[in-house]
């Protein structure tokens, strides 16, 4: 049996060594505190669970769903976009239900990328962008996200011949893994660049509702003319604690939505209709409930930040996502640092290299644990004399 070339081309699984260290630590009886996974630790909001409990009993929800999503779900998604961003969408042609946004993000490559086509991907970035490029036979060109540029790509640094050959560009703010945010002005530049070179922008909005200090994330579709060359991917996962439910939607440029829909029609058969009903209810969540969750993460961020300051890491407060992105001490390699921390303290951090070569020299902390657990984790670092400087 021989696996495909495309599968062989995927980079090796970077966390194997970390997983081994975790196993070793467990065997030695060390209690593990994982600040690794980007998965909300609180349950799905109750209004959504209650809606699902009803929807699941209804036989009308038990058959195959429409491929593109129910018209109710698409309309509710378009209404939410209007209310949240003042963006107008035709829900029959410009909105598509997804089985979680990762599903749509991974499939969009098969609608646009032919062999050796170029895709512009943020580095560090969510690994799907690069890996799905490879699976589709394309070539991922890194747009470095550097601290000195506030972790935004510099479009002027992309060579003309690369830009001319690029078919897709991926953006993601609030950003995983750096926690950086983008302004509408940045999106204007992105749209201008994409129009000049005829590139479809795929904007990943997974964390658009997870923001702090009164910061509100914009949509790229608020930029005039953006709909000519952009689509966005929205997810119920992080906003409403629904990671296990698998629900999201894509919206924006009609031709792109149609092309993604054709790929999907040939691969999946849509989202369980009861989940789509629950997803509509999610949009009706009182804003105070979302605010409450964000206050909780904001508090954790502040706790982590003051503990980190004691250890010599001085950082600016992040305005979005539940991640902190920090440099390793003494320019230590990200893997060596994270392995050392697990071995000495049982605290699991994620090496930045796992998000791309520009992630080297960094590690990611996920604020997906209660405050007292976070404090315990930093106490262990202090006791092991692990400091930035
Ligand atoms: C979590 C995450 C997603 C995936 O969300 P799902 O809707 O659960 O598939 C997409 N993009 C980024 C950057 C994420 O961190």
């Amino acid at each position: 049996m021989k696996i495909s070339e495309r599968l062989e081309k995927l980079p090796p699984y970077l966390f194997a060594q970390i997983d081994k260290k975790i196993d070793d630590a467990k065997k030695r009886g060390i209690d593990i505190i994982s600040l690794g996974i980007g998965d909300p630790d609180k349950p799905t909001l109750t209004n959504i669970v209650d809606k699902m409990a009803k929807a699941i009993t209804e036989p009308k929800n038990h058959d195959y769903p429409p491929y593109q999503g129910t018209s109710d779900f698409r309309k509710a998604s378009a209404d939410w976009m209007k209310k949240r961003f003042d963006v107008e969408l035709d829900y029959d042609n410009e909105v598509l239900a997804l089985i979680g946004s990762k599903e749509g993000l991974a499939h969009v490559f098969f609608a646009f990328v032919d062999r050796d086509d170029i895709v512009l991907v943020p580095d560090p970035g969510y690994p799907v962008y690069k890996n799905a490029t490879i699976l589709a036979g394309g070539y991922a060109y890194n747009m470095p996200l550097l601290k000195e540029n506030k972790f935004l790509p510099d479009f002027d640094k992309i060579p003309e011949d690369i830009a001319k050959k690029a078919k897709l560009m991926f953006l993601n703010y609030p950003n995983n893994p750096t926690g950086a945010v983008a302004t509408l002005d940045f999106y204007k530049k992105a749209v201008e660049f994409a129009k000049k070179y005829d590139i479809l922008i795929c904007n990943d909005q997974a964390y658009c509702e997870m923001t702090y200090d009164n910061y509100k994330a914009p949509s790229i579709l608020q930029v005039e003319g953006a709909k000519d060359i952009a689509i966005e991917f929205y997810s119920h996962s992080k906003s409403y604690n629904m990671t296990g439910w698998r629900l999201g939607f894509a919206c924006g440029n009609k031709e792109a939505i149609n092309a993604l829909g054709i790929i999907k029609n040939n691969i999946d058969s849509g989202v369980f209709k009861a989940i789509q009903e629950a997803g509509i209810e999610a949009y009706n969540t009182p804003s105070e409930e979302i605010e409450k969750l964000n206050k909780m993460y904001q508090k954790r961020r502040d706790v982590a930040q003051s503990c980190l300051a004691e250890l010599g890491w001085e950082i600016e407060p992040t305005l979005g996502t539940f991640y902190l992105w920090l440099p390793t001490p003494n320019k230590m390699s990200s893997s060596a640092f994270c392995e050392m921390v697990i071995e000495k303290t049982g605290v699991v951090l994620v090496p930045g290299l796992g998000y791309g070569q520009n992630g080297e020299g960094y590690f990611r902390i996920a604020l997906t644990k209660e405050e007292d657990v976070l404090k315990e984790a930093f106490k262990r670092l202090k006791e092991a004399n692990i400091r930035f400087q």
Side-chain angles (χ1 to χ4, degrees):
M1 192 169 30
K2 189 176 176 315
I3 62 165
S4 64
E5 275 172 38
R6 68 176 67 85
L7 210 50
E8 276 177 345
K9 275 193 201 156
L10 280 186
Y13 178 62
L14 254 155
F15 303 124
Q17 193 63 20
I18 291 279
D19 290 348
K20 193 177 165 299
K21 289 280 169 191
I22 296 172
D23 281 344
D24 290 351
K26 277 187 190 156
K27 274 185 205 140
R28 285 189 287 129
I30 295 178
D31 162 50
I32 298 289
I33 299 178
S34 177
L35 304 182
I37 320 165
D39 194 346
D41 55 314
K42 296 291 180 194
T44 303
L45 301 173
T46 48
N47 58 318
I48 302 166
V49 176
D50 292 347
K51 182 71 183 187
M52 182 69 182
K54 279 203 201 81
I56 202 168
T57 62
E58 292 174 23
K60 73 170 170 59
N61 284 336
H62 296 171
D63 58 351
Y64 281 120
Y67 284 130
Q68 70 277 30
T70 64
S71 59
D72 285 348
F73 178 73
R74 283 179 285 112
K75 180 172 187 308
S77 301
D79 289 347
W80 182 83
M81 289 292 294
K82 172 72 186 161
K83 189 166 145 227
R84 173 67 177 81
F85 299 110
D86 200 22
V87 165
E88 304 268 357
L89 291 163
D90 161 12
Y91 66 88
D92 270 331
N93 295 301
E94 297 174 336
V95 179
L96 181 65
L98 299 174
I99 313 169
S101 67
K102 181 178 183 179
E103 177 267 302
L105 287 163
H107 280 143
V108 75
F109 294 88
F110 295 92
F112 290 97
V113 177
D114 290 312
R115 185 168 276 274
D116 297 330
D117 276 349
I118 287 177
V119 178
L120 304 174
V121 299
D123 182 301
Y126 186 54
V128 173
Y129 315 139
K130 211 171 283 185
N131 291 348
T133 301
I134 295 170
L135 291 177
Y139 173 82
Y141 182 86
N142 285 343
M143 299 186 291
L145 305 188
L146 307 175
K147 183 161 189 284
E148 59 261 37
N149 297 329
K150 299 195 157 76
F151 299 110
L152 296 165
D154 182 351
F155 302 124
D156 297 336
K157 291 265 162 66
I158 299 169
E160 180 102 21
D161 59 323
I162 297 286
K164 277 184 179 156
K165 278 193 260 172
K167 301 280 283 280
L168 302 176
M169 173 165 73
F170 282 76
L171 296 175
N172 163 227
Y173 294 96
N175 180 258
N176 176 8
T178 67
V181 297
T183 59
L184 202 55
D185 214 44
F186 168 78
Y187 283 146
K188 275 186 194 145
K189 279 187 210 141
V191 167
E192 212 173 284
F193 177 82
K195 284 200 170 176
K196 181 168 174 198
Y197 294 106
D198 193 23
I199 297 167
L200 176 68
I201 298 175
C202 298
N203 194 35
D204 181 349
Q205 292 275 70
Y207 296 93
C208 67
E209 298 310 275
M210 199 185 276
T211 57
Y212 318 116
D213 301 341
N214 299 318
Y215 170 80
K216 277 263 187 205
S219 154
I220 200 167
L221 298 175
Q222 289 170 312
V223 176
E224 208 182 305
K227 226 196 258 176
D228 299 340
I229 43 87
I231 55 174
E232 289 194 311
F233 294 83
Y234 286 86
S235 168
H236 279 55
S237 291
K238 316 285 172 27
S239 311
Y240 311 108
N241 299 338
M242 289 178 76
T243 47
W245 296 60
R246 314 311 304 135
L247 184 64
F249 68 93
C251 63
N253 181 269
K254 184 171 142 183
E255 287 76 31
I257 292 294
N258 183 52
L260 174 57
I262 294 170
I263 296 293
K264 281 173 57 57
N265 294 353
N266 284 287
I267 294 178
D268 67 64
S269 297
V271 180
F272 183 25
K273 281 186 275 187
I275 292 181
Q276 296 189 57
E277 274 193 27
I280 295 170
E281 176 55 32
Y283 297 133
N284 299 328
T285 304
S287 56
E288 303 84 67
E289 291 298 315
I290 306 289
E291 200 48 39
K292 227 193 276 175
L293 279 174
N294 285 342
K295 281 263 151 49
M296 176 190 76
Y297 291 126
Q298 187 177 321
K299 189 94 186 299
R300 290 178 184 178
R301 177 202 69 177
D302 294 344
V303 164
Q305 192 172 342
S306 74
C307 293
L308 283 160
E310 268 186 57
L311 299 173
W313 272 281
E314 294 288 349
I315 50 168
E316 302 242 325
T318 46
L319 294 180
T321 77
F322 45 26
Y323 304 117
L324 300 181
W325 184 243
L326 300 157
T328 58
N330 305 316
K331 301 218 155 57
M332 211 171 160
S333 91
S334 59
S335 299
F337 176 70
C338 294
E339 285 166 29
M340 184 268 285
V341 173
I342 293 170
E343 210 170 281
K344 289 193 175 169
T345 69
V347 175
V348 180
L349 309 168
V350 189
L353 185 60
Y355 302 96
Q357 65 195 59
N358 290 289
E360 185 50 291
Y362 284 89
F363 63 96
R364 193 190 79 175
I365 293 178
L367 302 169
T368 49
K369 288 282 188 304
E370 298 283 2
E371 263 172 60
D372 55 338
V373 180
L374 288 173
K375 282 182 184 156
E376 165 66 19
F378 292 114
K379 188 169 140 244
R380 288 189 197 175
L381 260 63
K382 194 171 177 181
E383 282 165 2
N385 201 24
I386 295 166
R387 308 176 49 84
F388 181 57
Q389 54 199 8

